Amino acid sequence: MRDWMKKGIVLAMCAGMCAGALSGCGNKEILEQQNTMKNAGIESMAQGDFAQAVEQFQDAIELSTGKVDAQVVDLCFYKAEAQYRSGDAKGAMETYNDLINYEESSNAYYLRGRLKLTQEIGDFEGAKKDFEGAIACDEKNFDLYIGIYNGYLAAGMEDQGKEFLAQALKVKDSDAKEQMKKGQIAYYLGEKEEAKKYLEKAVKTEPMANFYLGKIAKEEGNQEMAETYRQAFVDSNEATASELEQMGIDLMDEGNYAEAITWFQSALTMEEVPNRQSIMSHLVMAYEHNLDFASAKETMDEYLKLYPDDEDAQRESLFINTRVSQE
């Protein structure tokens, strides 16, 4: 994998999770103005203008004239993400501190913990305490344990992340969805037989179980069964952009670059694509391996419009342009 695809740690911000019913929030006109400003801020983030997004979210917050409601809390989560991505990690930390001081929540503790794992903050003990606080608020949220693990994995601290995964397996599951999540967690821990037990219980009603059963089958050398599980998952129409990207990566590992391209393209057309930068970088790589340098150039040009400060991608673009000129 080329260096330009390994750009630092990007927080898996789950902005919007705190927003609840907004009835009774006050002036309807103000609420509409806030929604307009919020959408503008989200659009600015999509365009890579994070400094502008911070201003737009802050302007929306100030319309509340000091009143804190679900809308303001939601805006603060967006603002914190934009602050971090604009290079203002300390500002993002202050925003999370304000959110937690207002009301403790698993989301705020989790996101502040992820921020503390970054190079800009580097407060690893503080991160662990925040993750413990998040779990105390929402012990049966298995996605929370997985998010914590991914945070540690991105920070090069996988063993610490596995400690939280092991903790999750001790939590009692009560339905197929939770069994599927525990199967996913057992897979991350390398406990494949245990993972299969959970996943096979859940697969009838939880299509996502097919995804991990397919990965296990592939790793065990059963390519035919892996493809069966993979197709069952695709047919369920429940895949997220991240999951489609992972399927594309798996196909690239198999040397099937043409099919991988279709999965990356499908991921980019989804309504929610929080991992757009990563998907686009993998798509460029797939095009290169498939010797389609014209499409690689077209995708890279679009990538650099969205992420112009990526110096490694700029160098990769020069390589691609050289290959295009030779065709």
Side-chain angles (χ1 to χ4, degrees), residues 6 31 80 154:
K6 301 177 181 177
L31 183 58

Side-chain angles (χ1 to χ4, degrees), residues 3 21 30 39 44 91 139 156 161 169 211 226 236 248 266 278 284 290 310:
D3 291 339
I30 289 177
N39 291 334
S44 292
E139 183 185 30
L169 288 183
F211 179 76
S236 72
S266 295
S278 176
V284 170
N290 207 42
D310 189 336

